[in-house]
Amino acid sequence: MDRMWSAVPAGFSRMLRFGAVGLLNTALGYCLILAGLKLGLGDIAANMTGYAGGLVLGFFLNRRWTFGRAGGFRSGTAVRYALAFVVAYTANLTIVVAAMSAGFVENPFVHLAGNCLYSALFYLGSARFVFVGAAKDTVLIAIDMKSPGAAT
């Protein structure tokens, strides 16, 4: 089993971890939205509460597990994470609004396209802008390059 996982490129396993974190923060966010609606917060406040909770969970899980960052909290990383979210979410909304302008109203495939773009941009932003520096995946790649075939 270890040999099978050692053949998986580090970048691919990181993308899988990012996806798993996305599922967890989506589940938490949705639960918070439902709880907020049950408590009478209304659609907007409940939605904002859910997204905020999901983003916080996603930040810490991605920071530690997906991108292998340890150590103390740095506010600059959180600010970059928020910026990556804003860019990705804006791209998502741009697709939805453009599709609506073209007559595709309440079309689930439009939202799927927007979500795919959001996920790709948020991953790239997280990998290239937010969680930059020496990660454990980078170290593993360097070890693999020095000794091909060696188990890590």
Side-chain angles (χ1 to χ4, degrees):
M1 184 72 164
D2 285 340
R3 188 175 182 102
M4 181 179 79
W5 283 110
S6 66
V8 175
F12 184 73
S13 63
R14 186 171 58 190
M15 284 189 280
L16 290 176
R17 289 191 304 270
F18 188 82
V21 169
L23 291 174
L24 285 173
N25 73 33
T26 298
L28 173 67
Y30 189 62
C31 287
L32 289 173
I33 289 169
L34 293 177
L37 290 173
K38 185 80 169 169
L39 292 171
L41 291 181
D43 286 322
I44 302 298
N47 190 279
M48 289 173 63
T49 302
Y51 269 87
L55 277 173
V56 169
L57 176 67
F59 173 78
F60 287 105
L61 289 177
N62 279 318
R63 177 177 160 261
R64 184 79 162 171
W65 185 52
T66 304
F67 296 99
R69 301 296 179 263
F73 176 79
R74 294 197 172 116
S75 61
T77 305
V79 169
R80 290 191 307 272
Y81 190 77
L83 288 172
F85 166 76
V86 167
V87 168
Y89 191 67
T90 299
N92 175 9
L93 287 180
T94 300
I95 284 184
V96 172
V97 169
M100 289 173 59
S101 297
F104 296 100
V105 178
E106 297 180 8
N107 185 316
F109 294 110
V110 168
H111 292 278
L112 180 62
N115 192 267
C116 288
L117 180 61
Y118 165 85
S119 297
L121 289 176
F122 203 20
Y123 174 77
L124 289 172
S126 294
R128 305 284 184 205
F129 175 65
V130 178
F131 302 107
V132 292
K136 60 184 175 185
D137 282 342
T138 306
V139 172
L140 289 176
I141 290 169
I143 290 169
D144 285 343
M145 290 175 69
K146 288 181 183 176
S147 54
T152 56

